[in-house]
Amino acid sequence: MEIRANEEIPIGQDLTPPIPPLSLSLHHSILLSHCSSCFSPLPPSPFYPTYPNPDHFVRYCSLQCSSLDSPLHFSSSEFHFFHLFPQPLYTTSPTSTDLRLSLRLIHRFQEANVSFSNLERIGGLMTNFKKLTLLEEQQYYNDDDDGLSGRIRDGAKAMAVARRMRDGLDTNVELSAAEYAVEAAVLCLVLTNSVEVHDKDGRSIGVGVYDLAFSYVNHSCSPNASYRFCTAFDCGGELEFRICPAPSETCASGTESGSIINGSEACGPRIVLRSIKAIQKSEEVLITYTDLLQPKKWLNKLEKVVLKWTCGKDV
C-alpha cells in the first residue's frame, strides 16, 4: 500500500489531522513515572487500576485514565503477563514492551472482529509473519542475528501463557506452534509497523501502532515527510486529510481516514504527518523509519530485521 498526496503541498505543512493509536505500551523503565493511558508524567499521588489487587505494575495520572485503560489492561492479559514476567524478557527485539503492546492489540482486534484467517496481513496491516519466523531457513541474517525468530516464538509463547492464565487454563503445558500462531503474527505486525513514541523533549517513552493513514506510509532514506506526536491538549485545530491510499483515485471522504478499530485508543499521543519538502499532487508520501544518523552497519542490521532490504545509502 502507498500513501499519496491528493493536492500540491508546500514544505512545512501538516498532511493529516492527529491520527490516533491503535494501541500503545510504555517502556518498562517508564512505567513508574508516566501514565500508562495518556503517557503524561505522573502526579505525586498516582492512580491505580480500578480492579482491586495489591500488586500493580501500571500507574495512571487521573481517575479518568484509570477508568479508560484498566479494562484493557486486564482483559488483554497485560496484567497477567506482568505477574508471570515482572522483569523484561529480552534486552533486544522483541522487547517486553513489544509483547505487551501485542497483547493489547490482539484484544482490540478481537473486540473489533478483525479476522486472523490470514496471518500475513491482519486488519490491513502487513505482518511479515513468514519471513520473521523462518529467518534461519531463509538465511537473511548473520550469526549474531539469527536468534530473532526464536525470540519471536518464545515471546509469542509467553503471550499465549498469559492469555491462558487470564482464562483460568493450565499454564504448565507445552504449546504447539498453532496454539501461539496468532500471538506470533501480531508480534510480527508490531515489529513491522510500530514506532517509538517520544515525549516533547524527544525521549522515547513507549511504542505504538497507529491507524492506517500512518501505518500505510512507506520508508525512504530520502523522505519528503516527517511526523510528530501531540496530545489532546496540544494538537491544534482540526485539519482534513491531504493524503490518501494510492488505489483510491478520488480520496472520497472517509476513505483516507478509514480505521481498523472503531474509535482506536481513547487516550495516548496522536501522530501528525508533516511535509519536509514540497510534495506534488499524486506524489507518494514517504518517511524514514530509522535514525539516519546512526552508523551504516547498524542501519543495515535494522533494515534486514524488519524491512527485508539493504540500503545502499552511505551513512
Side-chain angles (χ1 to χ4, degrees):
M1 183 66 73
E2 297 177 354
I3 294 291
R4 296 185 178 274
N6 56 17
E7 60 183 84
E8 289 191 9
I9 302 171
I11 187 173
Q13 297 282 309
D14 286 345
L15 309 180
T16 66
I19 300 169
L22 297 176
S23 199
L24 296 163
S25 187
L26 281 175
H27 287 316
H28 195 277
S29 60
I30 306 293
L31 287 169
L32 299 183
S33 63
H34 284 67
C35 176
S36 286
S37 179
C38 70
F39 279 33
S40 63
L42 289 173
S45 298
F47 293 80
Y48 294 88
T50 55
Y51 289 71
N53 189 291
D55 301 318
H56 288 302
F57 289 82
V58 300
R59 310 284 190 273
Y60 300 108
C61 67
S62 66
L63 183 60
Q64 180 185 20
C65 278
S66 175
S67 299
L68 287 170
D69 190 74
S70 292
L72 180 59
H73 174 60
F74 285 91
S75 299
S76 68
S77 72
E78 181 185 39
F79 169 83
H80 308 83
F81 182 87
F82 271 124
H83 283 269
L84 287 169
F85 311 103
Q87 296 301 319
L89 296 179
Y90 311 117
T91 57
T92 55
S93 180
T95 66
S96 288
T97 308
D98 297 323
L99 302 183
R100 290 186 282 107
L101 174 58
S102 299
L103 284 171
R104 294 169 72 92
L105 199 52
I106 288 172
H107 187 72
R108 292 187 61 78
F109 281 154
Q110 290 177 326
E111 285 187 321
N113 295 317
V114 172
S115 173
F116 294 108
S117 60
N118 177 12
L119 296 183
E120 283 296 302
R121 188 175 289 274
I122 300 174
L125 293 176
M126 183 180 295
T127 67
N128 284 316
F129 174 61
K130 292 181 180 178
K131 292 180 180 179
L132 289 175
T133 54
L134 298 175
L135 301 183
E136 289 88 355
E137 292 184 20
Q138 298 184 19
Q139 298 180 347
Y140 277 107
Y141 302 97
N142 297 325
D143 291 340
D144 61 340
D145 293 325
D146 62 10
L148 176 62
S149 60
R151 292 196 301 274
I152 289 173
R153 287 193 293 270
D154 290 344
K157 289 179 183 179
M159 292 161 56
V161 169
R163 298 180 73 206
R164 289 179 66 87
M165 181 180 180
R166 176 201 62 189
D167 297 337
L169 301 176
D170 186 5
T171 58
N172 296 312
V173 294
E174 185 65 30
L175 300 177
S176 67
E179 291 177 295
Y180 58 84
V182 168
E183 287 85 353
V186 174
L187 178 54
C188 290
L189 182 154
V190 165
L191 294 177
T192 300
N193 295 279
S194 64
V195 292
E196 294 278 342
V197 178
H198 296 90
D199 63 13
K200 62 181 181 180
D201 297 320
R203 179 177 57 157
S204 176
I205 57 175
V207 178
V209 173
Y210 281 80
D211 221 333
L212 298 180
F214 177 79
S215 292
Y216 278 170
V217 179
N218 288 322
H219 165 89
S220 172
C221 285
S222 181
N224 54 18
S226 63
Y227 56 89
R228 72 176 192 276
F229 297 96
C230 62
T231 68
F233 304 103
D234 60 13
C235 279
E238 285 297 318
L239 178 73
E240 293 185 358
F241 280 90
R242 304 171 75 181
I243 58 176
C244 64
S248 172
E249 296 180 357
T250 61
C251 288
S253 177
T255 302
E256 64 273 32
S257 57
S259 174
I260 303 172
I261 300 172
N262 186 29
S264 299
E265 285 277 7
C267 293
R270 269 58 172 162
I271 202 166
V272 178
L273 283 166
R274 187 173 179 85
S275 62
I276 58 174
K277 298 177 182 177
I279 303 175
Q280 300 301 310
K281 182 178 181 179
S282 299
E283 182 181 351
E284 184 176 5
V285 176
L286 299 164
I287 59 174
T288 178
Y289 294 166
T290 61
D291 181 357
L292 296 179
L293 297 180
Q294 294 290 339
K296 182 178 180 180
K297 181 178 180 180
W298 184 91
L299 287 174
N300 285 342
K301 180 177 179 180
L302 179 63
E303 288 154 358
K304 287 180 181 179
V305 168
V306 178
L307 303 177
K308 294 296 178 296
W309 47 262
T310 300
C311 178
K313 182 180 178 65
D314 290 328
V315 179

